[in-house]
Amino acid sequence: VQLQASGGGLVQAGDSLRLSCTAPERTFGIYSMGWFRQAPGKEREFVGVRSYRSGRIWFADSVKGRFTISRDNARNTVYLEMSSLKPEDTALYYCAASPYYSFSDLSSRGKYDFWGQGTLVTVSS
């Protein structure tokens, strides 16, 4: 499964940005689509995910209420919509696909089989 992430850029604190992740057809029916990020010098961390089985969406506490996940099945694309961005949101953002569907698995990067190449988000203060 090849994933293509895009949409990163340089924004100011308080701005909004939408990241896109395009996947092959039928991916959304068998894989949960998640987002992770990695800031310089830090480990890759969970941001949010949509379970393919239940449709439930979970977010890390650090982004809850500011980020949302949506998808366009016709375009085979899942979006990470980010608002009220903060400098601490600066990171390389990755989309990933997992065959798991429960939060206990989906919050762990080890449960993802496929990864996009990452797109850089820089938030200036």
Side-chain angles (χ1 to χ4, degrees):
V1 175
Q2 188 170 3
L3 306 176
Q4 293 284 346
S6 62
L10 172 63
V11 297
Q12 293 187 330
D15 283 352
S16 298
L17 196 64
R18 188 178 75 169
L19 305 183
S20 302
C21 178
T22 302
E25 196 173 342
R26 301 193 190 95
T27 298
F28 300 157
I30 57 176
Y31 288 100
S32 298
M33 298 302 296
W35 290 91
F36 286 74
R37 67 185 182 185
Q38 187 166 15
K42 295 188 176 182
E43 291 192 355
R44 193 171 299 187
E45 64 175 5
F46 170 78
V47 174
V49 64
R50 186 184 190 280
S51 171
Y52 80 88
R53 177 168 290 195
S54 65
R56 288 190 65 184
I57 297 175
W58 296 280
F59 288 101
D61 288 343
S62 59
V63 305
K64 202 173 293 183
R66 300 188 297 121
F67 291 13
T68 61
I69 291 175
S70 61
R71 74 182 194 189
D72 184 335
N73 291 334
R75 297 177 184 271
N76 300 313
T77 300
V78 62
Y79 302 101
L80 179 66
E81 302 182 59
M82 308 181 293
S83 62
S84 302
L85 282 162
K86 306 175 182 180
E88 50 264 43
D89 294 319
T90 294
L92 195 59
Y93 282 73
Y94 297 88
C95 63
S98 171
Y100 295 90
Y101 51 85
S102 64
F103 177 68
S104 59
D105 291 315
L106 293 174
S107 59
S108 170
R109 66 176 187 261
K111 298 295 186 179
Y112 289 77
D113 292 346
F114 305 100
W115 293 83
Q117 81 281 15
T119 184
L120 182 62
V121 174
T122 304
V123 184
S124 64
S125 56

